[in-house]
Amino acid sequence: MSSNPFHPVAVPRRRATIKEVAEAAGVSRSTASRALGGNGYVAEPVRARVRLAAKKLGYVVDATARSLKQQSSRLIGVVVSDLKNPFYAGLASGAAQAARSAGYTTVLIDDRDGGSDESYAAEALVALRVAGIVGTPVSDELVTFALGHGIPVVEVDRRFAPDRATGVVVDNRAASRSATEHLLALGHRRIALLIDETEWTTGLERLEGYSDALRGSGLPLDDRLIVSAGWDAADARRAANELLGAGDRPTAIFAANNLLAEGAWRAAHDRALRIPSDLSLVAFDDAAWMSMVEPGITAVVQDPGAIGIAAVEAVLAKMKVPASPAATVIVPTRIVHRGSTAALPG
């Protein structure tokens, strides 16, 4: 009860029913249901009349009831690893855009801790009777659980079940090789790789591309220059500071994602190293800050929005043809050259 007698408590408005909408529009309940649900034929003038009645009455379709009846919904589940990372935020945005265009709504889950959270995400989306799932997995559990319940699933950014689920990825190996070759062409020979992990396909393929470029130039791999730098910018900053404080420090760093690049950039400033005259820096992934600093950061550019769109298009295709085989969709990348790399001083 309100403590202010002049401001009475608002009474929730009773939800209008499909029966009331049908009566207001002068049609049967089944016709009203078809007109609002988009399933089955309804003449356009009748559809418009039903929708107008629904709008006036404030009627909202009960998606839960419809999902129970149809065993699925107009929902697509989107599972991403960490919305604080602009790559995953952009991916989710692209997925939502593609879903809306196809008449679906996205349910977004941020699986930032991985592991048990992935199990929770899979169970939650199945409980909501989503029609399909796209996700950045951390194991094969998302695919296994979804397919076990008959829900199409598409892996995004990395692969754990390539034989069972379509994947939407970039060619990490080729892009990393090109980025490293760019540094080699500038005369750098002590090129460090800052990387988060090498157990998933993303990290492993970026390491392979870096290694390919060095071997192609006749250079041996130096394990001391391959640095596991954690999962965020703060961890990467500490790792890069240690690397740059060594006696025989690298003259260039290839950072395997945008957060690692931020850590490397901050570490260079911590040690008063000038980019690019003292240290060249290349990032895998572009981020807004990279074009705002001086000099800007040269980066392998992925289009996370395009990846999200392609992932939803892939799951929609799988929903239409469930028996279609698993495939790999490769979204192109490019290198944008800014000012963070320079020829090694002779």
Side-chain angles (χ1 to χ4, degrees):
M1 188 173 184
S2 172
S3 59
N4 188 336
F6 298 103
H7 291 85
V9 175
V11 178
R13 179 181 177 181
R14 184 181 66 82
R15 293 180 62 175
T17 66
I18 189 69
K19 179 182 178 182
E20 291 168 338
V21 172
E23 290 174 349
V27 299
S28 67
R29 286 182 60 178
S30 61
T31 298
S33 180
R34 290 199 307 275
L36 294 173
N39 298 314
Y41 173 77
V42 178
E44 196 53 44
V46 176
R47 187 185 304 275
R49 193 164 74 244
V50 171
R51 289 181 174 175
L52 179 61
K55 184 176 181 180
K56 288 181 177 179
L57 291 170
Y59 175 78
V60 178
V61 175
D62 189 337
T64 302
R66 185 170 66 186
S67 298
L68 288 170
K69 183 178 180 181
Q70 298 177 354
Q71 295 298 303
S72 68
S73 65
R74 301 293 291 182
L75 299 175
I76 291 177
V78 178
V79 183
V80 296
S81 296
D82 186 358
L83 282 173
K84 293 182 296 183
N85 186 325
F87 173 80
Y88 294 113
L91 191 158
S93 177
Q97 175 188 332
R100 278 195 305 272
S101 297
Y104 287 79
T105 300
T106 52
V107 177
L108 177 63
I109 296 180
D110 182 357
D111 178 28
R112 90 181 58 168
D113 294 324
S116 61
D117 277 4
E118 186 167 68
S119 302
Y120 159 78
E123 292 177 12
L125 293 174
V126 169
L128 288 170
R129 288 178 165 79
V130 296
I133 298 173
V134 301
T136 56
V138 297
S139 72
D140 68 350
E141 187 158 354
L142 183 66
V143 170
T144 299
F145 196 86
L147 293 182
H149 288 79
I151 298 175
V153 60
V154 169
E155 294 186 308
V156 189
D157 186 47
R158 44 190 177 256
R159 308 299 305 277
F160 285 92
D163 56 331
R164 291 180 290 148
T166 288
V168 177
V169 296
V170 300
D171 192 337
N172 290 289
R173 187 168 187 166
S176 293
R177 183 172 61 246
S178 295
T180 308
E181 286 173 345
H182 167 64
L183 293 170
L184 289 166
L186 293 172
H188 295 279
R189 293 298 178 266
R190 288 191 58 75
I191 302 170
L193 173 68
L194 286 187
I195 196 158
D196 45 13
E197 52 76 32
T198 55
E199 296 179 354
W200 299 348
T201 53
T202 41
L204 177 60
E205 291 168 359
R206 292 174 194 183
L207 171 61
E208 289 172 340
Y210 164 85
S211 303
D212 290 344
L214 293 180
R215 280 194 293 264
S217 293
L219 295 176
L221 285 181
D222 184 344
D223 290 341
R224 294 170 300 175
L225 294 177
I226 300 173
V227 178
S228 178
W231 295 91
D232 60 30
D235 288 341
R237 184 178 188 173
R238 285 189 288 271
N241 254 302
E242 185 174 339
L243 177 69
L244 295 174
D248 193 11
R249 66 172 179 80
T251 62
I253 290 178
F254 173 36
N257 67 39
N258 63 77
L259 295 177
L260 301 180
E262 179 185 339
W265 183 84
R266 292 184 182 278
H269 282 262
D270 291 342
R271 294 191 169 274
L273 295 175
R274 296 166 299 168
I275 297 175
S277 54
D278 296 325
L279 179 73
S280 285
L281 175 62
V282 175
F284 199 117
D285 282 348
D286 197 14
W289 70 268
M290 294 183 187
S291 60
M292 298 168 64
V293 297
E294 182 60 39
I297 307 301
T298 293
V300 174
V301 179
Q302 303 185 82
D303 186 340
I307 293 171
I309 290 170
V312 167
E313 289 175 346
V315 84
L316 290 171
K318 189 69 175 177
M319 287 155 53
K320 290 180 181 177
V321 188
S324 60
T328 299
V329 178
I330 297 179
V331 178
T333 62
R334 60 189 176 88
I335 294 182
V336 59
H337 294 278
R338 297 188 176 110
S340 66
T341 61
L344 186 67

